[in-house]
Amino acid sequence: MTDVPDTSSLGSAPSETGPEPAPGTDRLRRALFRFRQSKLSVIGALLVAAVVFLTLFGPWLAPYPEHVAGGVDTAARFLPPSLAHPFGTNELGQDVLSLVMAGTTVSVLAAFSVVLIGTIIGTLIGAIAGFAGGWVDEALMRFTDLVLTIPSLILAMAIAAALGPGFLNMVIAISLSWWPGYARLVRGEVLATREENYVTAARALGARPSRVLFRHVLPNVVSPVIVKMSLDMGFAILTVAGLGFIGIGVRPPTPEWGTLLSVSRSYMPDYWWTAMAPGVAMFVAVFGFNLLGDGLRDVLDPKGRR
């Protein structure tokens, strides 16, 4: 009698090409591939990574931590750049590189706090306005338009002057002028998303309006918000530095890029290195976040997907 081969195990045999990747993993792989196609985006990501590293560890890596704490060395006033002091020293004999490294923590954390608070406030207002519609939408958007009529820097200066100098007051002042852009962005995205079929189906199944908004609508407007946050980081850093420069933000001896520039302007152009270091630091940070934002926009743009 002829033997019949056993085929019961054929269905469980592993594929020669390996298991199929999960949909989420495949999307992430494609997004990273698109991101790597832009050299400028990769450069921006590397610059931002360096800025974040200094934000977290800058005060501890500073070559002269005693200068960060407020120590002075009058015998070493206005030394030009050298191996001992790569960015020279200031009018108090403090190492400028150490001050800039420590100032990265203050400047970037303040800017991130501003963007985060502005995003939360603007997202809530824009989502409620776009989802509720009617008189709620009109009232919230007219208030948003009213805030937009005032230049954000002027409004932040007025609020900061009323609250007084300090890190927390500066963050609150800028945040209260930062949210309208997010409100208008989120409102427009919610108006388009709330008419999608899956939202209509959720409503037909009896889902509460709050559940529809936070479970089905808002998760689908995250991409443009993330892109705007990355692009806004550079502008927030400049705004924080601007308030410090005019003396209503963080004040000395706390190192911050704007205050370092404000003090060093009195010694220009003879001691140019005191202003060059914080200026270059701001340029690198803003440039990096702008490049990263452009890269994220290309990755998260639905029209760019295949």
Side-chain angles (χ1 to χ4, degrees):
M1 187 174 70
T2 305
D3 293 336
V4 179
D6 184 10
T7 60
S8 60
S9 61
L10 293 179
S12 60
S15 172
E16 295 182 358
T17 59
E20 291 291 333
T25 304
D26 185 57
R27 287 194 297 267
L28 178 61
R29 186 181 304 170
R30 293 182 181 182
L32 292 176
F33 175 78
R34 287 195 299 271
F35 187 85
R36 290 197 302 267
Q37 297 308 300
S38 174
K39 294 182 179 180
L40 290 179
S41 300
V42 174
I43 293 175
L46 294 176
L47 292 178
V48 170
V51 171
V52 172
F53 179 80
L54 288 179
T55 301
L56 298 176
F57 305 106
W60 293 273
L61 296 178
Y64 295 89
E66 66 276 8
H67 293 171
V68 176
V72 299
D73 184 6
T74 55
R77 295 175 69 249
F78 292 124
L79 292 180
S82 62
L83 291 178
H85 303 282
F87 288 133
T89 60
N90 61 9
E91 73 282 357
L92 299 176
Q94 298 170 326
D95 181 63
V96 177
L97 175 61
S98 300
L99 297 180
V100 171
M101 292 176 64
T104 305
T105 301
V106 178
S107 299
V108 177
L109 282 183
F112 178 76
S113 301
V114 166
V115 173
L116 182 62
I117 295 174
T119 301
I120 294 174
I121 297 175
T123 298
L124 289 177
I125 293 177
I128 294 173
F131 191 76
W135 67 268
V136 176
D137 183 21
E138 286 293 325
L140 292 177
M141 286 300 100
R142 296 298 75 78
F143 176 67
T144 302
D145 293 338
L146 178 63
V147 177
L148 283 173
T149 59
I150 308 174
S152 59
L153 182 59
I154 302 299
L155 180 59
M157 291 170 54
I159 298 174
L163 295 177
F167 181 89
L168 181 60
N169 291 341
M170 176 184 63
V171 170
I172 294 175
I174 303 176
S175 300
L176 293 179
S177 65
W178 209 266
W179 61 267
Y182 291 92
R184 296 185 67 87
L185 172 64
V186 172
R187 174 184 177 269
E189 295 292 332
V190 169
L191 286 175
T193 305
R194 72 177 185 178
E195 304 299 332
E196 296 290 341
N197 292 333
Y198 60 86
V199 177
T200 304
R203 286 171 169 168
L205 291 174
R208 298 188 306 273
S210 59
R211 178 179 176 84
V212 174
L213 176 60
F214 290 101
R215 182 70 181 271
H216 300 285
V217 176
L218 282 183
N220 290 280
V221 303
V222 170
S223 295
V225 172
I226 292 177
V227 173
K228 182 171 174 56
M229 289 179 67
S230 61
L231 291 172
D232 276 1
M233 275 296 298
F235 296 106
I237 289 174
L238 293 177
T239 304
V240 169
L243 292 186
F245 186 83
I246 61 179
I248 56 178
V250 177
R251 289 189 173 179
T254 302
E256 189 270 325
W257 292 342
T259 58
L260 293 177
L261 279 175
S262 178
V263 173
S264 62
R265 64 178 174 174
S266 303
Y267 308 104
M268 291 287 290
D270 296 330
Y271 308 108
W272 52 268
W273 55 85
T274 58
M276 183 193 70
V280 170
M282 279 194 295
F283 170 79
V284 170
V286 174
F287 187 61
F289 278 109
N290 285 345
L291 291 182
L292 178 62
D294 289 338
L296 292 177
R297 181 177 55 193
D298 295 338
V299 169
L300 299 176
D301 183 9
K303 297 179 181 179
R305 297 176 181 168
R306 296 291 183 266

